[in-house]
Amino acid sequence: MSETSLIWRKVPAAILLIAAGILSGCGDDGDDGRDGIDGAEGADGTAGADGNDGADGSNGTDGLDGADSRLTRLATLPQGAEVTGIFATEAGDLFFNVQHPSSENNSEFTIGTVGVLAGVNIHKLPVNLTSTPVPTTEEDRQTVKVYYGEYQILGQGGDTFSGSLPEGLGAVTSTDAEGSLVSLYAADHPDFNAYIPTSETEGYLFTNWENVPGGMSRIKLKKSASGGALTGYWEVDNTDVQMIDFGAWGTLANCFGSLSPWGTPLTSEEWGNFGDSTHLWNDPSASDARRDQLALNLDPTASGAIDADPFPNTYRYHYIVEITQPTSATPVPVKHYVMGRFEHENAIVMPDQKTAYLSQDDTNGVLFKFVADVAGDLSSGTLYAAKVNQDGSFDPITTGFDIEWIELASGNDAEIETWIAEYDAINTSNYVAGKSSYLTDADAIAWASGDANYPAYDTAYAPAVTAGYSGANTFGGAVTAGEAMDNRIAFLESRKAARAKGATAEWKKFEGIYINQKRAREAVEGVDLIEGEAVEDAYVYFAISYMTSGMTDGEGDIRLSTRVSDCGGVYRMKLNAGYDVNRIEPVVMGSTFESELTGAERCDSDKLSQPDNVVVLDDGRIIVGEDGFQTNNTLWLYDPN
């Protein structure tokens, strides 16, 4: 709010006038005498006593929180949809998706949609922007609304592109008992996008399809010629559209991702496992539709996971997958086991082509770092986990963290794959209640303690009991019990390993993590890449959708207040020499969480509501996509300056 200063002028007291006396003669009237000399002013009288104080005025009404002037609403999405797949090209094209819109919308947005903001260069938006209004009519609430440019649909779930994709865009197929191809789910969840140009006007758009099993599409695009009536608009080449073949095991829940500095898409396997409860993965009594769906991808003749042959090996999933040879006729996916197994939101590789930061999108997740042995090769290197030291305050709007990196282990994909293969034959017949066919927290603690051998399968490992674990996680896993210790725990159960080493496993819904490659190089290497600006500092940005659970439970390394809670916020980490980071700072937070309210009212529509993914533009501004409570989630532009 502004303040008004009032200037008061002092008004002098009334002037006292002393009249001169008039001299009169006796007898006849004489001439009037001259005026006498003015007498001296009399002394001021004694000041009167102060009057009594007046009664206090009533308190004024509190003003409403103002909207953050650094936030501009670039777009609003149809009701039911979240913003996914934000990707900005060098030329300024902005791709983003409409994920799972309401099927009740009275518009073309009733299924997952892949699109682009056409007709505008996102890197050259003016400084003073106009926000797209919050929709107020039913018509506006059921469509994509933008102020700058036009949202162009490139494809929607199920599109066949004149028969090039018979099962439809986004469909992952398998073969049924009669030998026919069948789609395993409705393609409603497009996520990460990456555009790879093959010329000034053509290229390939890769899009994740987040489901179980997971998928990724590639469609060829052509941009209209410069100067034409449709400048900035795109055409799809219906003859060059495909779903990526991920092989026999496939992928699951392909979520956000990034484009490597050498031009390969990095897709991320997120949800679909049993989290910390790996010991229950082969429990025949477990009822989990995702596990059944994954099993049907491997064995379409099965009724579910319990009778699938093979039974899905949980250690075959939850990795970063690089799409090599992306513009060839048949792109080649490569799973990078050495980058750790956990619920990946995404990984972002620094311009040194070696250092990568990775986020775990789960309750009580970990921030990881990977450093490759060779630039441009993610198949071998060292995995680290972050331990944070919180500032002395608790307000998430002002509280930051110092980072200590804890080395977990070094390895390579080939060696780790041999460890993974040892679990391929496990199925529900191997399940024993209270024990585990897989790696456990007892295994992780023994590894972190430097034990020569893995814990026994039949005898509880005392340090695990002391650490507070119970049941299966106090025994060694069946495959490794009593065997010589190795580093498999670091790569197959990365969170368990990080926690055993003392890293912070308290983040809630750690979402997209991102940098701008050009700004990063200029700040760290001193290479002049940003026109008209000397970039001295560059940052890794990341979003937290929720600030609950381990972040606000008053225990451990992170002890924030619940002020923004489910509204979330965005943080940054300054890049230092060697592309290292050692500090986390808050950038912009959602509004104060109103837990007693329902629906969109819980988080102010003029502020962030559960930010999901972030992208950094050339000018340092940040694009943030929501997956929140709002009736219409927002694509925001945030100016940190």
Side-chain angles (χ1 to χ4, degrees), residues 138-362:
E138 280 302 312
E139 180 181 4
D140 286 349
R141 280 193 283 266
Q142 296 178 21
T143 189
V144 175
K145 299 294 292 184
V146 298
Y147 189 87
Y148 298 93
E150 177 183 344
Y151 187 71
Q152 181 188 357
I153 295 175
L154 301 174
Q156 294 185 296
D159 285 354
T160 64
F161 300 98
S162 300
S164 294
L165 283 177
E167 302 303 324
L169 182 65
V172 175
T173 60
S174 189
T175 306
D176 64 15
E178 285 73 38
S180 301
L181 282 178
V182 293
S183 178
L184 294 177
Y185 58 80
D188 197 28
H189 293 73
D191 206 299
F192 162 65
N193 287 312
Y195 178 75
I196 300 177
T198 55
S199 71
E200 288 188 4
T201 58
E202 295 185 354
Y204 287 103
L205 180 67
F206 290 79
T207 302
N208 278 348
W209 293 85
E210 185 183 1
N211 218 311
V212 179
M216 180 181 246
S217 59
R218 189 189 78 171
I219 61 178
K220 189 173 184 179
L221 298 177
K222 182 176 181 179
K223 193 174 183 181
S224 59
S226 178
L230 294 178
T231 298
Y233 288 74
W234 299 80
E235 296 177 2
V236 175
D237 182 349
N238 289 341
T239 67
D240 197 348
V241 182
Q242 65 174 280
M243 294 296 294
I244 303 299
D245 182 0
F246 285 106
W249 292 98
T251 60
L252 79 170
N254 297 59
C255 193
F256 197 45
S258 66
L259 192 66
S260 73
W262 52 93
T264 55
L266 301 176
T267 180
S268 313
E269 296 181 285
E270 190 197 3
W271 47 270
N273 65 357
F274 284 8
D276 263 349
S277 301
T278 309
H279 59 283
L280 298 176
W281 179 254
N282 63 330
D283 181 354
S285 67
S287 177
D288 188 87
R290 297 170 299 181
R291 190 182 68 167
D292 289 339
Q293 198 76 349
L294 193 60
L296 292 175
N297 184 52
L298 295 166
D299 181 7
T301 65
S303 60
I306 194 167
D307 62 345
D309 184 20
F311 180 77
N313 178 357
T314 188
Y315 289 150
R316 291 280 177 190
Y317 305 97
H318 292 290
Y319 300 99
I320 295 297
V321 187
E322 181 178 11
I323 310 300
T324 66
Q325 305 175 44
T327 60
S328 67
T330 306
V332 180
V334 177
K335 288 198 178 186
H336 288 306
Y337 309 120
V338 72
M339 299 182 79
R341 176 182 170 273
F342 48 90
E343 298 85 351
H344 287 275
E345 177 69 18
N346 76 296
I348 183 71
V349 182
M350 299 296 105
D352 65 356
Q353 301 192 13
K354 295 176 68 175
T355 306
Y357 295 99
L358 310 99
S359 58
Q360 181 176 16
D361 184 357
D362 197 11

Side-chain angles (χ1 to χ4, degrees), residues 306-424:
I306 194 167
D307 62 345
D309 184 20
F311 180 77
N313 178 357
T314 188
Y315 289 150
R316 291 280 177 190
Y317 305 97
H318 292 290
Y319 300 99
I320 295 297
V321 187
E322 181 178 11
I323 310 300
T324 66
Q325 305 175 44
T327 60
S328 67
T330 306
V332 180
V334 177
K335 288 198 178 186
H336 288 306
Y337 309 120
V338 72
M339 299 182 79
R341 176 182 170 273
F342 48 90
E343 298 85 351
H344 287 275
E345 177 69 18
N346 76 296
I348 183 71
V349 182
M350 299 296 105
D352 65 356
Q353 301 192 13
K354 295 176 68 175
T355 306
Y357 295 99
L358 310 99
S359 58
Q360 181 176 16
D361 184 357
D362 197 11
T363 300
N364 296 328
V366 178
L367 167 62
F368 291 94
K369 178 175 73 171
F370 173 76
V371 180
D373 293 332
V374 178
D377 181 0
L378 301 176
S379 67
S380 67
T382 304
L383 188 63
Y384 300 81
K387 179 178 178 58
V388 301
N389 180 31
Q390 182 173 314
D391 294 346
S393 58
F394 299 93
D395 189 337
I397 295 175
T398 58
T399 303
F401 309 85
D402 292 329
I403 300 173
E404 172 193 352
W405 289 107
I406 297 174
E407 181 176 335
L408 299 182
S410 298
N412 61 78
D413 289 342
E415 179 182 33
I416 298 167
E417 202 280 334
T418 65
W419 292 330
I420 292 172
E422 294 179 24
Y423 300 86
D424 282 346

Side-chain angles (χ1 to χ4, degrees), residues 3-14:
E3 297 180 355
T4 303
S5 298
L6 300 179
I7 302 174
W8 294 87
R9 296 188 181 277
K10 185 177 181 182
V11 180

Side-chain angles (χ1 to χ4, degrees), residues 568-623:
V570 174
Y571 287 92
R572 71 181 185 182
M573 302 183 289
K574 181 181 176 182
L575 285 169
N576 301 314
Y579 293 97
D580 192 26
V581 297
N582 58 20
R583 174 77 180 163
I584 296 171
E585 301 171 338
V587 177
V588 57
M589 294 292 148
S591 61
T592 299
F593 180 65
E594 302 292 350
S595 58
E596 70 277 8
L597 298 178
T598 60
E601 291 77 15
R602 285 175 281 182
C603 296
D604 189 340
S605 62
D606 283 327
K607 297 183 180 180
L608 293 185
S609 174
Q610 298 179 331
D612 194 335
N613 298 144
V614 294
V615 164
V616 186
L617 300 179
D618 288 351
D619 62 9
R621 289 185 285 187
I622 310 159
I623 297 180

Side-chain angles (χ1 to χ4, degrees), residues 435 455-462 474-476:
K435 300 291 183 65
Y457 180 70
D458 293 321
T459 304
Y461 183 66
T474 62
F475 299 92

